[in-house]
């Protein structure tokens, strides 16, 4: 069977030639990040509107989204800045809110990200959503380019929607409610996807729920940090016990 060449300028190539791998991976990363971007949109708009309504210039939203990229911490930072909180208090708040990323680094596929600049940006842009998508089973074969483009698109969604929210903040009525629930809904969807991805691993979600309940009862003021610590301890204990059992067998 003969393949007709397709003319591109003064060059010819077979019409059935697939697109370059780089372009296909960018499109795949965009598709992977699209539904997360829909969740970022109302959050970013709400954040940008809050910036301007707090008396700050609109560019604070763009600068924060581009350089801090901390999501929930950025919402807290607005109140801290407007209240002229001490730098030590801001630093401690940033640590307590973002300490969960230390645990993310244990399984984030940074070893598959190429180059020092790539690893640096991959570390900086490690958000909850990027971790949820890249640490799953179906992402085991993703290349460095696809991981970085995925993180870049998420970063772009957040910075773009925050800037739009700041510029259009005066047009959003004060009575609009429910935008803050978008973050909870987004995390719920990501958690459901993670459970489906590991459908046969029932002990892991059970351990996560128990860790959250124990942290809520014993450490309500440090719930997030305590829950992560308990969950990590449980995973390490399970790994050690199952390792010893398999060794005896």
């Amino acid at each position: 069977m003969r393949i007709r060449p397709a003319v591109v300028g003064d060059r010819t190539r077979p019409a059935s030639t697939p697109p370059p791998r780089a372009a296909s991976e960018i499109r795949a990363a965009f598709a992977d990040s699209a539904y997360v971007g829909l969740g970022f949109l109302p959050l970013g708009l709400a954040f940008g509107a809050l910036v301007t309504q707090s008396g700050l210039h609109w560019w604070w939203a763009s600068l924060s989204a581009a350089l801090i990229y901390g999501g929930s911490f950025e919402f807290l930072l607005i109140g801290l800045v407007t209240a002229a909180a001490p730098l030590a208090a801001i630093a401690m708040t940033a640590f307590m809110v973002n300490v969960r990323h230390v645990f993310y680094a244990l399984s984030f596929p940074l070893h598959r990200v190429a180059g020092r600049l790539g690893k640096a940006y991959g570390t900086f842009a490690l958000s909850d959503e990027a971790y949820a998508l890249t640490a799953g089973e179906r992402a085991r074969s993703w290349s460095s380019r696809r991981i970085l483009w995925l993180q870049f698109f998420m970063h772009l969604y957040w910075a773009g929607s925050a800037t739009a929210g700041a510029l259009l903040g005066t047009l959003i009525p004060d009575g609009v409610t429910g935008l803050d629930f978008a973050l909870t809904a987004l995390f719920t969807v990501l958690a459901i996807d993670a459970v489906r991805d590991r459908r046969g691993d029932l002990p892991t979600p059970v351990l996560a729920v128990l860790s959250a309940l124990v942290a809520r009862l014993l450490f309500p003021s440090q719930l997030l940090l305590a829950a992560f610590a308990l969950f990590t301890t449980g995973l390490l204990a399970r790994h050690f016990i199952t390792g010893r059992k398999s060794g005896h067998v």
Side-chain angles (χ1 to χ4, degrees):
M1 175 176 161
R2 186 177 179 181
I3 300 176
R4 291 186 306 167
V7 179
V8 180
D10 58 347
R11 298 181 181 180
T12 62
R13 62 175 175 83
S16 60
T17 300
R21 183 179 178 184
S24 63
E25 288 185 335
I26 292 174
R27 287 195 296 269
F30 178 77
D32 294 330
S33 65
Y35 76 93
V36 176
L38 293 177
F40 275 13
L41 182 60
L43 288 174
L45 291 173
F47 171 69
L50 184 60
V51 167
T52 55
Q53 291 175 3
S54 299
L56 300 174
H57 293 290
W58 68 267
W59 49 264
W60 273 89
S62 303
L63 195 65
S64 173
L67 300 182
I68 298 177
Y69 190 38
S72 55
F73 172 67
E74 292 181 63
F75 279 93
L76 295 175
L77 184 61
I78 296 175
L80 294 173
V81 170
T82 54
L87 186 60
I90 296 177
M92 180 57 66
T93 303
F95 173 77
M96 294 305 300
V97 172
N98 295 318
V99 71
R100 66 189 186 278
H101 288 243
V102 175
F103 300 97
Y104 290 169
L106 297 176
S107 53
F108 179 71
L110 189 63
H111 61 283
R112 285 194 273 119
V113 177
R116 292 184 178 180
L117 289 178
K119 291 182 183 296
Y121 181 74
T123 302
F124 165 74
L126 178 54
S127 62
D128 303 281
E129 297 79 10
Y131 172 79
L133 292 177
T134 57
E137 185 69 27
R138 70 186 188 92
R140 295 289 175 85
S141 61
W142 288 5
S143 66
S144 170
R145 184 183 292 110
R146 184 167 175 176
I147 293 173
L148 289 176
W149 274 105
L150 174 78
Q151 292 182 280
F152 173 76
F153 282 131
M154 291 185 179
H155 196 178
L156 186 63
Y157 297 148
W158 177 249
S161 58
T163 301
L167 293 174
L168 303 174
T170 56
L171 303 179
I172 299 177
D174 295 334
V176 173
T177 59
L179 291 177
D180 52 342
F181 184 74
L183 183 62
T184 303
L186 178 60
F187 284 158
T188 301
V189 172
L190 292 173
I192 293 174
D193 284 346
V195 171
R196 288 176 176 173
D197 193 40
R198 303 181 63 88
R199 190 170 300 174
D201 186 15
L202 181 61
T204 298
V206 171
L207 179 60
V209 173
L210 290 177
S211 299
L213 291 176
V214 172
R216 179 67 179 85
L217 293 174
L218 300 181
F219 310 100
S221 60
Q222 306 294 339
L223 189 151
L224 188 62
L225 179 60
F228 268 111
L230 290 171
F231 183 59
T232 303
T233 302
L235 289 177
L236 292 175
R238 188 182 70 172
H239 176 73
F240 177 74
I241 294 172
T242 54
R244 290 189 60 182
K245 288 182 177 179
S246 61
H248 286 302
V249 175

